[in-house]
Amino acid sequence: MDTNILLESGTNELEVLEFTLGDNHYGINVAKIREILQYMPVTPVPNTHPSVEGIFMPRDTMITVINLKNCLGLPQTDEKGLFIITNFNKLNVAFHVDQVIGIHRVSWENIIKPDDTISGEDGSTATGVIKMNDRLIVILDFEAIVASISPETGLRVNDIEQMEERDRSDATILIAEDSALLSKLITDCLKKSGYTKLIVTENGQEAWDKIRHMQEEGDVLKKINCIITDIEMPLMDGHRLTKLVKSDAELRNIPVIIFSSLVNEEMRKKGEQLGADAQLTKPEIGKLVEAIDKLIDKA
């Protein structure tokens, strides 16, 4: 599914596919979508999660089908609907939805982050809200949905348990991650691997504001040794943050690691164009620590 947005880098924009479940409107980042197919019969698999409808094999690739209404606790209907085939975290998953409304190009600045009443560390499935004319479009956290069904698809925290006790407290790492749950998991893992000096922010804009403030105070290169950023974040995404850092004559020497479920071949090219020093997909927390070690020791 090719769109113009995939050809651009660091614009702080994304394309959102709007779809419906009953009378409710939801959204998904187009960068996660491989294709959209008409409903087709699936083969049930015994003893799977209640939200898993089964499997099917278009073009010789086995894909798990998730009933999104079941995940969100919405009433089931007889409508056949559509399958949105996605690829993220190196997984191919189909989400069963009712209708596809269309694609909207929006700025991350215009995506409203849900407040703590519906967004916390307890695994909320909403990452942002778009106000579109007479309706609200809720952008769902598809990674969290899949991880709730199959926890082994989440961060591989066991990778960190194998690391010896070590002291890396001389390095300061700035993290930009909007998911409260993932942010806590990442920070816990980094602390276990010896990185105890962490600056944690909720999006690219907050991270950039802190970087600029430190830059104004002087000796910013001594205050930040590495930046880890997600891609999808309200206000400012990780690609825009990377572009701002790598376009600055002083800041460009700070290593930037993109750590996102969206790191595929297409997105990797974008990250390289922007100057990212490393790009890793979200389950690989052990490889993230290895990349931090390598980049900080090199610097």
Side-chain angles (χ1 to χ4, degrees):
M1 186 168 183
D2 294 325
T3 58
N4 290 333
I5 194 78
L6 297 180
L7 302 177
E8 302 172 36
S9 302
T11 64
N12 206 39
E13 293 176 301
L14 78 159
E15 288 184 328
V16 173
L17 179 82
E18 179 186 1
F19 63 90
T20 62
L21 297 170
D23 296 328
N24 304 295
H25 292 251
Y26 298 97
I28 178 173
N29 189 340
V30 167
K32 288 187 171 82
I33 301 173
R34 283 181 51 205
E35 60 182 328
I36 298 170
L37 299 177
Q38 290 290 337
Y39 173 86
M40 58 185 70
V42 300
T43 302
V45 179
N47 302 319
T48 53
H49 190 280
S51 295
V52 175
E53 289 188 20
I55 56 174
F56 75 125
M57 290 189 66
R59 304 182 192 86
D60 298 324
T61 301
M62 190 177 75
I63 296 176
T64 300
V65 178
I66 292 177
N67 186 311
L68 211 43
K69 283 183 177 174
N70 187 292
C71 290
L72 303 180
L74 298 173
Q76 298 292 321
T77 62
D78 294 330
E79 189 167 348
K80 295 297 184 185
L82 302 163
F83 289 156
I84 298 176
I85 315 295
T86 64
N87 179 268
F88 54 86
N89 281 348
K90 298 183 178 178
L91 295 170
N92 294 313
V93 179
F95 292 93
H96 190 176
V97 307
D98 287 347
Q99 292 182 314
V100 165
I101 305 300
I103 291 175
H104 309 289
R105 183 166 177 161
V106 296
S107 169
W108 281 106
E109 292 178 2
N110 297 327
I111 295 178
I112 305 160
K113 182 173 175 60
D115 64 26
D116 292 339
T117 58
I118 55 173
S119 177
E121 291 182 10
D122 57 352
S124 167
T125 53
T127 62
V129 178
I130 303 169
K131 193 172 189 300
M132 187 70 63
N133 299 324
D134 58 342
R135 64 192 182 280
L136 296 177
I137 302 171
V138 177
I139 300 176
L140 295 175
D141 187 340
F142 288 88
E143 292 89 337
I145 289 170
V146 172
S148 69
I149 292 170
S150 182
E152 63 271 16
T153 64
L155 286 189
R156 295 174 186 152
V157 293
N158 290 339
D159 293 353
I160 301 300
E161 303 296 339
Q162 300 168 6
M163 291 191 172
E164 298 177 5
E165 288 291 327
R166 61 205 193 129
D167 183 8
R168 304 282 291 185
S169 59
D170 54 335
T172 300
I173 300 173
L174 186 147
I175 301 165
E177 169 62 66
D178 67 314
S179 165
L181 179 62
L182 278 173
S183 181
K184 186 176 187 304
L185 284 172
I186 293 168
T187 54
D188 287 350
C189 287
L190 290 182
K191 286 176 181 176
K192 284 180 183 176
S193 63
Y195 289 103
T196 55
K197 290 171 69 174
L198 306 175
I199 303 169
V200 182
T201 64
E202 292 186 0
N203 55 65
Q205 185 64 59
E206 186 182 340
W208 179 242
D209 290 344
K210 284 188 181 294
I211 293 167
R212 292 289 289 162
H213 179 69
M214 292 180 189
Q215 192 175 24
E216 289 168 5
E217 290 181 332
D219 290 332
V220 65
L221 299 184
K222 293 181 180 178
K223 295 174 181 176
I224 303 175
N225 299 97
C226 184
I227 297 168
I228 301 169
T229 181
D230 189 13
I231 293 178
E232 293 183 289
M233 295 180 289
L235 299 181
M236 182 189 291
D237 69 7
H239 279 160
R240 178 66 177 168
L241 175 63
T242 303
K243 183 174 184 177
L244 290 173
V245 171
K246 293 301 182 179
S247 299
D248 185 285
E250 182 182 20
L251 300 174
R252 65 170 58 129
N253 294 317
I254 300 174
V256 176
I257 301 174
I258 293 176
F259 189 52
S260 167
S261 62
L262 286 180
V263 175
N264 54 29
E265 186 178 348
E266 196 85 44
M267 299 300 266
R268 191 176 295 279
K269 290 177 184 174
K270 289 185 70 171
E272 288 172 356
Q273 289 171 2
L274 296 167
D277 296 273
Q279 299 181 78
L280 297 163
T281 192
K282 278 235 169 106
E284 300 170 338
I285 188 73
K287 290 185 179 179
L288 173 64
V289 174
E290 290 174 9
I292 295 169
D293 290 349
K294 184 177 179 182
L295 289 168
I296 287 180
D297 291 344
K298 180 181 177 183

